Amino acid sequence: MASTSRPNSLQEDDAEEEVQHFDDFTLASSWERCNISMISLLLHPGKDIEATCRQWLADGPKNLVEKGAVTVEDSKNLFKVKYDLKNVTKSYCMEFYFQIDDNGSQQAGVDNWNTSSHDLQLCFGVKDFLLIAPQSASGVLLDTPESSKLLSSVAIALSNCASLWPAFVPVHDPSRNAYIGIQNMGTVFTRRFEADRIGSQVPVKLMHLEGLYELFVSKFVYSGVDFSMHTFKVHFMMRLTYETFTSDEDDENSDIDEFMGDKADTAEHHGSESRNKVHWDDDCPWSEWYSAEDPLRGFELVVTWADMTVENTLEMAELENATPHEAEKWILHPVLSPYVGEPSHGKKIDFSSQLLCLVEALDTSFTAQFMEDFVSVENSSSESLKTSVVIPPPTVLDRVIKDLFHEGSKLPNFTKGEHRLSRALKAAPLESLFTQFCLHSLWFGNCNIREFVREVRWCWEESQPLPKMPIDGSIDLSTCLIHQKLHLLAICIEKNREMNEEFLDCIGSDDSSDTSVSVEENHKVDKRRNRSSKADLQRKRDSSIAEDTSNQLRFERKAESKNSVNQSRADAFRRGSAGPAGTMMLLKSHQPLHAPFTQDPPLMTEDMHEERLQAVEGFGDSLNVPGQLEKDILLSDMSAFKAANPNAVFEDFIRWHSPGDWESSEPEAAEASAGSSTEGSKDKWPPHGRLSKRMSDQGNLWRKSWNDAPALQADDQKPLLDPNREGEKILHYLETVRPHQLLEQMVCTAFRGAADTLNQTNFGDMRQMTSKLEQLYLIIKSTLGVLQRNRVPDREQAVKDLRRLCVAFEHVEKLVMVAASLHRKFLDASRLAQVIFSDFYALYVPMMGINSNDEENKSRTEMQVGRQEVSFGERQVVSNLFSPPSANQSWRKVLSMGNLLNGHEPILREIIFSTGDDVNNGIHYAAAADVAASGDRRGEEIETHRMYVSGTSNDLRVALSVTSCD
């Protein structure tokens, strides 16, 4: 069986071989299929290349734009239209690229170094052109016969419709970026194009200008010619591009680690590195809180050598060793960081993102009843304060809070960084204790009010001054309530310190002599003299008529006379006198009426004023003085008046303290002032008048108080302000404040503190920033106004407005950083800084109206700032931007292309070699049209050879165009 089956198998194999080697001449080969494809393209009615080109020629550039021509990316004046060519076997896409100027007319020529030019325009020096590519994954023609046949078919079609457009076809592998092309320049000349790229292993000879020069010359001379022995005039242009980055490519968390290392020293090894490292914004005002990424990621400098004629390789070697400062033109292009044109969405570490987290915390605080519930670890509401910053451990937070309270007793300058509109915001000053606490809270992730109040109470109990708070002066009611109370608490602490010192002094001076007592009395007199010399004495009126009386009695303070011999015997018993009150006389004793030194009115915060006003409104015009505070003030003034005027009666006090309640029966006296000569005249003494009706009523509280008031000067009286009582009330308020009341004041203060910090930035004479910062303050004022009320009317709307405010703050913050970065880099070239910022400002401002939550905002592309020409006087400043590279940055640069700028090698070198030949206009009647079409600059000389070279020592691209007479 085996022997019989084997021959059968061999026969089957032979049959298969015969079938495989059988040639079917009825099937078309690949070459024939290509021809059929090209013929079908040319003969297809209404849809072939010729018909489409005729239609585009007839429409013209302007109509093509109106019909929907698409603008080419990164170019404002280059447009394209496309048409799909389909046949039985393969589909192609034909694109027509054309340029028009801003007025709508077609451009007359193409600049060799136009930055907005298409790649093919730059390579071959053409203007309008056709690009035909297959509709495939690669987009190129890998078959050489197919590409040649397609290009020939296109050339025939363009010739038939009398078009001089060049046509290009992509060939070879897509990574090579290779093209072949052809252009019919009339009846005589034809121009052919070819471009290719070497992506690696570039020959050493082609890395230098001498080798490139010889490569170009070899295209139009015989191969046996010795280049070193002959001269060939070649037109030469070169453009070098240098690039530098102002910041290294660090890890995304470097800013966080540096902040933690600088602020809290959480890690010693990282802390030392972060301190030694210098950042671009180390001396900027926001560097105390965070380190920002430089918005100017770097610069591109384009250096151009104009058209020149070279004749040999020696000249090329000299050009390679030339410094960029010898170039004809410098063009500077700032490279912005990607984050500038993108919304942060809380991913960046800056004021705006942290303020947004604080706003979210405010939204949560409305539902919390007590502060313990809001800040407790178990309560989820505290999660709203978590930010993109890595929150340090509690020990670090505790240390920072302690450092905040132990920064020294030196009083800061509260006007530092203050804008003229800052006081319109009801918040604390930038350098105050509460503002510093609020700004710290932005980075901690929670408000830490308990630790803050604990430190405040420690200062109170230990009689230690509150840091960053004034210990005197009046309460500024334009600030937030917590700042007012902290100011009052600082004054109370200081008064307690003074009382304790006086008590200790009294204990130590029990055995002192009478001489020391007399010195003490003289010290008190000097103290009263100093107090009387500050301003004109203006007495307080009854609280029920204070708002109705505008003509208050003013007394001119006079210093006490050094010679007391001429004083009357009654003056010897006066105590606490500030001097005679004009020419007023006492009614009974006919002695001069003296104005007394009185205690300063007790300081009150905004809520204390509101309570007093509500009490006054409740009692109306009643004589019963509402509240213990008003009664104490009245008794103090009466006691001081009695001490300064021993023989005074109740009517004298009313004439001095409340002249509106003294009704004069003499018209002249009624019209005259209290210090007029009418009252002091001996002929009309005593003055005719009486008390007002309300002061004459039986049971009048004022008269009863007068009878009870002892004659004590102000220094011997009990202080009107009880520091112990007021201090404990302030601490009770801080410990029991409602969460939303605290967060409302923190939000207002944090916004003002952040805005004032940015306002300290030095950005030179950039008026756009001055105007934009002023607009920001106005927006903050209008948005935060709703939080200054006792109750927020619409919580959801208020929070929504605050989120919008954070977006506006983010935009202004970025503008400030760009302006600061430009100002620092161009201190000696302010024109460049202003021009670059104006260009950036014009691009960025339209984006400021877009909400960061919009979908269109998520797809923003990288912003491109315009290129600016650098003058000769500014070149040194720009050159300084390119600091010499370190050893780590230049270790891989073994071979150099030359033309170094401060040790920087160009990242791109572009060269154009060209040569031409004369044209006999008498022989070739189409020569004039050919010269015009080629855009040549030398009159009757036509460009016969052109070579564009671009790349570096590791990448080389060459594009060659040759004009021939066919």
Side-chain angles (χ1 to χ4, degrees), residues 36-88:
I36 295 173
S37 176
M38 296 301 105
I39 294 173
S40 63
L41 281 175
L42 293 174
L43 299 180
H44 198 284
K47 295 184 179 180
D48 57 2
I49 299 175
E50 182 177 339
T52 304
C53 292
R54 288 184 184 275
Q55 183 64 43
W56 288 343
L57 283 170
D59 290 338
K62 186 175 181 180
N63 291 332
L64 288 176
V65 173
E66 294 177 354
K67 288 184 177 181
V70 181
T71 306
V72 179
E73 187 178 359
D74 298 333
S75 178
K76 298 180 180 179
N77 300 322
L78 185 62
F79 299 83
K80 72 175 180 178
V81 291
K82 67 178 182 178
Y83 183 76
D84 294 334
L85 303 172
K86 297 182 180 180
N87 59 15
V88 179

Side-chain angles (χ1 to χ4, degrees), residues 744-760:
E744 287 172 1
Q745 297 182 64
M746 288 184 66
V747 167
C748 295
T749 301
F751 268 104
R752 174 180 170 176
D756 286 347
T757 301
L758 295 182
N759 187 54
Q760 299 179 34

Side-chain angles (χ1 to χ4, degrees), residues 11-137:
Q11 293 176 0
E12 291 177 0
D13 293 339
D14 295 339
E16 290 179 359
E17 291 180 2
E18 293 178 358
V19 173
Q20 291 177 357
H21 291 283
F22 178 76
D23 293 331
D24 188 358
F25 292 98
T26 61
L27 298 178
S29 64
S30 60
W31 177 259
E32 291 171 334
R33 286 195 300 269
C34 179
N35 289 338
I36 295 173
S37 176
M38 296 301 105
I39 294 173
S40 63
L41 281 175
L42 293 174
L43 299 180
H44 198 284
K47 295 184 179 180
D48 57 2
I49 299 175
E50 182 177 339
T52 304
C53 292
R54 288 184 184 275
Q55 183 64 43
W56 288 343
L57 283 170
D59 290 338
K62 186 175 181 180
N63 291 332
L64 288 176
V65 173
E66 294 177 354
K67 288 184 177 181
V70 181
T71 306
V72 179
E73 187 178 359
D74 298 333
S75 178
K76 298 180 180 179
N77 300 322
L78 185 62
F79 299 83
K80 72 175 180 178
V81 291
K82 67 178 182 178
Y83 183 76
D84 294 334
L85 303 172
K86 297 182 180 180
N87 59 15
V88 179
T89 60
K90 204 165 188 178
S91 299
Y92 298 88
C93 178
M94 182 171 65
E95 295 178 335
F96 172 51
Y97 291 80
F98 60 95
Q99 282 188 272
I100 58 175
D101 61 9
D102 296 334
N103 298 326
S105 60
Q106 197 166 11
Q107 290 184 348
V110 177
D111 186 3
N112 287 313
W113 300 124
N114 192 350
T115 57
S116 61
S117 297
H118 190 272
D119 178 58
L120 293 177
Q121 291 178 324
L122 191 60
C123 287
F124 301 111
V126 297
K127 182 182 63 175
D128 301 340
F129 62 92
L130 287 176
L131 179 61
I132 301 178
Q135 293 182 344
S136 61

Side-chain angles (χ1 to χ4, degrees), residues 497-789:
R497 288 166 57 91
E498 292 178 355
M499 292 170 58
N500 294 337
E501 291 176 359
E502 291 178 359
F503 176 74
L504 295 176
D505 292 342
C506 290
I507 294 178
S509 60
D510 286 341
D511 299 332
S512 60
S513 62
D514 295 338
T515 305
S516 63
V517 175
S518 61
V519 172
E520 183 79 15
E521 292 294 332
N522 293 333
H523 175 70
K524 289 185 179 181
V525 172
D526 294 338
K527 184 176 180 181
R528 290 195 296 268
R529 286 179 179 176
N530 293 334
R531 191 190 310 173
S532 63
S533 62
K534 291 183 179 178
D536 292 337
L537 183 62
Q538 181 178 350
R539 302 310 309 147
K540 298 186 59 163
R541 301 294 183 264
D542 181 16
S543 58
S544 62
I545 64 171
E547 298 183 2
D548 298 332
T549 305
S550 60
N551 298 322
Q552 299 181 359
L553 185 60
R554 301 179 181 270
F555 303 98
E556 179 181 359
R557 293 183 176 180
K558 296 183 179 179
E560 295 180 0
S561 176
K562 296 181 180 179
N563 186 6
S564 59
V565 178
N566 297 328
Q567 290 183 347
S568 63
R569 182 173 298 179
D571 291 341
F573 298 96
R574 296 181 187 274
R575 291 172 299 164
S577 172
T583 58
M584 294 182 65
M585 308 293 289
L586 297 176
L587 295 177
K588 298 298 183 182
S589 62
H590 198 206
Q591 296 174 353
L593 189 150
H594 281 235
F597 287 107
T598 59
Q599 293 192 61
D600 294 330
L603 300 174
M604 292 187 293
T605 58
E606 184 178 8
D607 57 340
M608 297 168 64
H609 280 286
E610 291 178 355
E611 292 176 1
R612 183 182 181 189
L613 181 61
Q614 292 175 1
V616 170
E617 292 176 351
F619 280 91
D621 293 334
S622 173
L623 282 176
N624 295 324
V625 180
Q628 185 65 34
L629 177 61
E630 285 76 8
K631 183 178 180 181
D632 293 342
I633 296 175
L634 184 62
L635 283 173
S636 175
D637 291 347
M638 288 180 174
S639 297
F641 186 84
K642 282 185 175 182
N645 301 278
N647 297 325
V649 294
F650 178 64
E651 287 77 3
D652 293 324
F653 177 77
I654 294 299
R655 290 166 56 217
W656 170 76
H657 190 277
S658 180
D661 286 311
W662 176 258
E663 298 177 355
S664 176
S665 59
E666 300 177 2
E668 298 83 358
E671 296 176 0
S673 62
S676 62
S677 60
T678 303
E679 187 175 336
S681 175
K682 296 182 179 180
D683 298 336
K684 298 182 179 180
W685 186 262
H688 299 283
R690 62 181 182 274
L691 295 174
S692 64
K693 184 174 183 290
R694 71 175 193 138
M695 289 295 178
S696 304
D697 292 342
Q698 294 295 330
N700 182 275
L701 184 60
W702 283 52
R703 186 177 291 276
K704 183 176 181 300
S705 299
W706 172 263
N707 296 331
D708 297 338
L712 293 174
Q713 59 180 343
D715 292 340
D716 297 335
Q717 297 177 10
K718 177 184 177 181
L720 291 176
L721 176 65
D722 187 350
N724 292 317
R725 181 184 62 186
E726 295 300 331
E728 290 297 335
K729 288 171 62 177
I730 292 171
L731 289 171
H732 176 73
Y733 169 81
L734 295 176
E735 292 170 345
T736 60
V737 62
R738 296 285 297 273
H740 73 90
Q741 294 175 344
L742 171 66
L743 267 297
E744 287 172 1
Q745 297 182 64
M746 288 184 66
V747 167
C748 295
T749 301
F751 268 104
R752 174 180 170 176
D756 286 347
T757 301
L758 295 182
N759 187 54
Q760 299 179 34
T761 307
N762 184 11
F763 44 75
D765 187 18
M766 297 183 184
R767 299 180 180 179
Q768 302 98 323
M769 277 313 312
T770 304
S771 174
K772 191 58 64 177
L773 280 172
E774 185 170 340
Q775 293 178 17
L776 177 64
Y777 276 99
L778 294 175
I779 296 174
I780 294 176
K781 176 185 176 182
S782 61
T783 306
L784 298 183
V786 66
L787 300 181
Q788 300 175 8
R789 306 172 187 173

Side-chain angles (χ1 to χ4, degrees), residues 883-903:
S883 57
S886 62
N888 293 332
Q889 294 171 336
S890 58
W891 65 269
R892 61 183 181 276
K893 296 182 180 180
V894 180
L895 298 175
S896 175
M897 296 188 299
N899 303 118
L900 299 182
L901 177 62
N902 293 345

Side-chain angles (χ1 to χ4, degrees), residues 364 373-377 379-386 445-446:
T364 306
D373 299 332
F374 180 70
V375 299
S376 63
V377 178
N379 197 317
S380 61
S381 63
S382 63
E383 298 294 328
S384 61
L385 277 173
K386 288 186 177 180
N446 54 68

Side-chain angles (χ1 to χ4, degrees), residues 8-269:
N8 293 334
S9 61
L10 292 175
Q11 293 176 0
E12 291 177 0
D13 293 339
D14 295 339
E16 290 179 359
E17 291 180 2
E18 293 178 358
V19 173
Q20 291 177 357
H21 291 283
F22 178 76
D23 293 331
D24 188 358
F25 292 98
T26 61
L27 298 178
S29 64
S30 60
W31 177 259
E32 291 171 334
R33 286 195 300 269
C34 179
N35 289 338
I36 295 173
S37 176
M38 296 301 105
I39 294 173
S40 63
L41 281 175
L42 293 174
L43 299 180
H44 198 284
K47 295 184 179 180
D48 57 2
I49 299 175
E50 182 177 339
T52 304
C53 292
R54 288 184 184 275
Q55 183 64 43
W56 288 343
L57 283 170
D59 290 338
K62 186 175 181 180
N63 291 332
L64 288 176
V65 173
E66 294 177 354
K67 288 184 177 181
V70 181
T71 306
V72 179
E73 187 178 359
D74 298 333
S75 178
K76 298 180 180 179
N77 300 322
L78 185 62
F79 299 83
K80 72 175 180 178
V81 291
K82 67 178 182 178
Y83 183 76
D84 294 334
L85 303 172
K86 297 182 180 180
N87 59 15
V88 179
T89 60
K90 204 165 188 178
S91 299
Y92 298 88
C93 178
M94 182 171 65
E95 295 178 335
F96 172 51
Y97 291 80
F98 60 95
Q99 282 188 272
I100 58 175
D101 61 9
D102 296 334
N103 298 326
S105 60
Q106 197 166 11
Q107 290 184 348
V110 177
D111 186 3
N112 287 313
W113 300 124
N114 192 350
T115 57
S116 61
S117 297
H118 190 272
D119 178 58
L120 293 177
Q121 291 178 324
L122 191 60
C123 287
F124 301 111
V126 297
K127 182 182 63 175
D128 301 340
F129 62 92
L130 287 176
L131 179 61
I132 301 178
Q135 293 182 344
S136 61
S138 63
V140 298
L141 295 172
L142 302 178
D143 192 354
T144 303
E146 180 182 358
S147 61
S148 300
K149 193 70 174 181
L150 177 60
L151 195 60
S152 300
S153 303
V154 174
I156 294 173
L158 292 176
S159 179
N160 292 338
C161 60
S163 174
L164 300 181
W165 295 336
F168 299 96
V169 174
V171 294
H172 305 307
D173 186 78
S175 62
R176 293 171 59 176
N177 201 13
Y179 293 90
I180 61 173
I182 192 170
Q183 180 182 11
N184 181 14
M185 303 180 66
T187 59
V188 177
F189 299 106
T190 301
R191 199 176 185 186
R192 289 177 174 83
F193 310 96
E194 185 176 0
D196 208 341
R197 171 176 172 266
I198 303 176
S200 61
Q201 297 181 354
V202 178
V204 177
K205 183 178 181 180
L206 299 182
M207 295 179 186
H208 302 281
L209 295 183
E210 301 99 308
L212 295 174
Y213 169 80
E214 293 178 358
L215 176 65
F216 176 68
V217 173
S218 66
K219 300 301 179 181
F220 58 87
V221 300
Y222 294 109
S223 58
V225 176
D226 186 3
F227 298 144
S228 61
M229 302 299 295
H230 296 78
T231 59
F232 304 94
K233 292 186 178 181
V234 174
H235 294 279
F236 170 83
M237 291 183 290
M238 182 169 64
R239 181 172 70 173
L240 303 179
T241 302
Y242 299 88
E243 187 179 52
T244 182
F245 293 99
T246 56
S247 59
D248 296 330
E249 300 294 335
D250 295 332
D251 187 69
E252 293 181 357
N253 296 327
S254 61
D255 290 342
I256 300 172
D257 297 336
E258 289 158 8
F259 169 79
M260 298 305 302
D262 290 338
K263 282 291 182 182
D265 246 354
T266 56
E268 295 182 358
H269 68 281

